[in-house]
Amino acid sequence: MRSNFAALLFSTFVADLVSPIFALYLPLFAFQLGADALEIGLVGGVAWISYSFAPYVIGRYSDRVLRRKWFIALSLAMLSACSFLYVLVESPLQLIALRLLEGIAWSILWPIIDVSISEDVSRESNKALSIYNTVWSSAGAAGPLLGGFLIILFTQIRYTFLVTGLMMVVAAIVMSSFFHEVPRVPPAESYSGRETPNTSEVKVTKSGRRASRFWIFLVAMILISSIRGVLFTFYPPLAQSQGVSLAFIALIGFVFGASRVGVFALSMRDDVRGFLLHDGNTKKIVMVSLAVCAIGGALPLMGDPTGAIGFLAFGIVAFAGSFIFTASQANFISEAESHKKGAGAGIFESSIGIGVAIGPTVAGLVSGGSLSLPFLVAPVGFLISLPIFFVLFRRERSLR
């Protein structure tokens, strides 16, 4: 059976070169077009409104159909079209409208790539996802630098999107040419005979623990994604208003990606991956990572014209959040039954969409026109989530 691993990694690399350029520079573009804090928040968050539910729909659909290649190619073509249209934008409202379409395209792309990677025949599922995470996060680190270089080269942000559009066209052509559909194996019939009471009890207990972990990781992913969304949406305009250079903002975006690369590269080691995926470590990974993310996400409140605070904030949030990301990805995708991996990938990606949609949008609403106040979302969101985690961890402990 032929592996699609190389084609998937190529498309992933190109897409994640482009994704942080959109995330980092479109809010800055909106700021330059005269957007207020609420409009900047919407530019940062509105693309993720459709991403908060569409990935689950697409993921479930991908469990039932064979034509994944054309969905991936279609999403890349849509992203290319959005990128070219960004060149022509003249108002923040036009940006907001196009970002809705962009969100739909990402909603199609990532769940299908996630599940295709996890099902690849060339290597074990969790190892494949670790390699995949390292590749896309490496592209995510390079993306801000590429975007910053293109903006300096063209002297305007808008012309950067001509290049990103061409990159997505190339990715769509490669995917159409080299991705081969893999026959799906139908799920095995469940045993219909009578089960012993002990077997039934063990299954119920395992199911209950899995359900508890599902909600723990769902809430954690939403929270870290909202913190990330606020950083990417509001820090570039805040930094520029404080006199931080565009080249320095690009380096700060690079730090975010580089920090994630470090964690994902470590997760390719069996011992590190074993620690992250061990059930008994769930609580400490989630709570420590979230606490650190909340602190990092609040750092821009301090204000700093040198940009040093930005380096710390982006690096801390990326590093701490990657531990939750890795454990959540395994819980939702790798550990799912083969005929439910698409739905699991959809839920995983939707949790990201919910967080990135809520974070910048709420931050823009409560900002009062300030570019600093949105960073209160990180510590306040963490404090609000504590009672939820208390209930979830207590339930998980009772099922052991």
Side-chain angles (χ1 to χ4, degrees):
M1 190 178 295
R2 187 168 179 176
S3 170
N4 289 310
F5 204 60
L8 288 166
L9 290 185
F10 177 82
S11 296
T12 295
F13 188 86
V14 174
D16 251 294
L17 271 175
V18 171
S19 177
I21 294 176
F22 287 169
L24 198 61
Y25 296 116
L26 283 174
L28 185 56
F29 187 27
F31 178 67
Q32 294 179 352
L33 290 172
D36 58 27
L38 175 57
E39 288 173 329
I40 292 172
L42 289 173
V43 168
V46 77
W48 301 88
I49 291 176
S50 57
Y51 203 89
S52 63
F53 64 89
Y56 177 66
V57 176
I58 296 296
R60 282 183 61 88
Y61 186 67
S62 75
D63 282 330
R64 298 190 175 104
V65 299
L66 298 176
R67 293 180 293 276
R68 288 178 176 172
K69 173 170 73 173
W70 300 113
F71 278 95
I72 297 174
L74 172 64
S75 64
L76 294 170
M78 290 172 64
L79 289 166
S80 178
C82 288
S83 195
F84 289 134
L85 289 172
Y86 287 144
V87 181
L88 307 176
V89 162
E90 295 294 341
S91 74
L93 291 179
Q94 291 174 341
L95 268 184
I96 291 168
L98 283 173
R99 292 226 75 192
L100 279 170
L101 179 61
E102 180 198 327
I104 294 172
W106 291 122
S107 299
I108 298 171
L109 180 67
W110 291 127
I112 294 180
I113 287 187
D114 285 347
V115 71
S116 297
I117 288 285
S118 73
E119 290 181 349
D120 191 82
V121 297
S122 61
R123 50 190 50 79
E124 184 264 331
S125 180
N126 283 324
K127 183 68 175 287
L129 286 171
S130 292
I131 296 171
Y132 163 64
N133 288 340
T134 305
V135 169
W136 68 252
S137 59
S138 298
L145 295 180
L146 174 63
F149 169 77
L150 291 173
I151 293 169
I152 293 170
L153 179 67
F154 295 127
T155 70
Q156 291 190 46
I157 291 180
R158 70 171 68 245
Y159 298 120
T160 299
F161 303 116
L162 281 174
V163 178
T164 55
L166 290 172
M167 290 166 61
M168 300 309 272
V169 168
V170 172
I173 292 172
V174 169
M175 182 55 60
S176 301
S177 303
F178 296 102
F179 185 92
H180 298 273
E181 300 291 0
V182 178
R184 210 67 44 78
V185 178
E189 293 293 328
S190 60
Y191 176 63
S192 58
R194 183 176 298 175
E195 296 177 332
T196 64
N198 286 341
T199 303
S200 178
E201 184 178 339
V202 168
K203 286 189 174 182
V204 170
T205 302
K206 285 185 176 179
S207 176
R209 284 202 303 267
R210 182 168 175 78
S212 294
R213 287 199 307 274
F214 169 89
W215 287 107
I216 289 167
F217 283 123
L218 185 68
V219 174
M221 282 298 298
I222 290 172
L223 187 52
I224 65 166
S225 299
S226 67
I227 295 171
R228 185 192 83 178
V230 171
L231 273 181
F232 271 83
T233 299
F234 287 99
Y235 186 77
L238 174 66
Q240 190 166 76
S241 71
Q242 293 174 339
V244 179
S245 69
L246 186 62
F248 211 77
I249 293 172
L251 285 173
I252 290 170
F254 166 77
V255 166
F256 185 90
S259 298
R260 293 203 294 190
V261 171
V263 176
F264 295 146
L266 280 174
S267 72
M268 287 193 289
R269 290 175 53 95
D270 292 340
D271 54 342
V272 175
R273 195 165 62 251
F275 173 81
L276 292 176
L277 305 185
H278 191 279
D279 291 348
N281 297 326
T282 299
K283 182 176 181 178
K284 63 181 75 170
I285 289 171
V286 168
M287 297 312 298
V288 172
S289 296
L290 284 177
V292 174
C293 279
I295 293 169
L299 286 178
L301 285 165
M302 298 170 62
D304 176 33
T306 70
I309 290 295
F311 268 111
L312 282 174
F314 275 69
I316 288 171
V317 170
F319 183 80
S322 295
F323 292 101
I324 293 176
F325 187 100
T326 302
S328 300
Q329 189 181 56
N331 185 74
F332 287 129
I333 304 174
S334 299
E335 296 176 10
E337 298 175 54
S338 60
H339 62 290
K340 294 181 179 179
K341 286 184 181 290
I347 293 171
F348 174 71
E349 296 293 344
S350 289
S351 69
I352 298 173
I354 293 169
V356 183
I358 290 175
T361 304
V362 171
L365 286 170
V366 303
S367 67
S370 167
L371 292 175
S372 297
L373 287 180
F375 299 101
L376 282 171
V377 166
V380 172
F382 176 68
L383 291 174
I384 291 174
S385 72
L386 287 178
I388 300 173
F389 283 116
F390 175 79
V391 172
L392 292 174
F393 283 121
R394 187 174 182 180
R395 173 175 167 76
E396 186 194 34
R397 187 168 59 250
S398 70
L399 292 170
R400 288 179 182 173

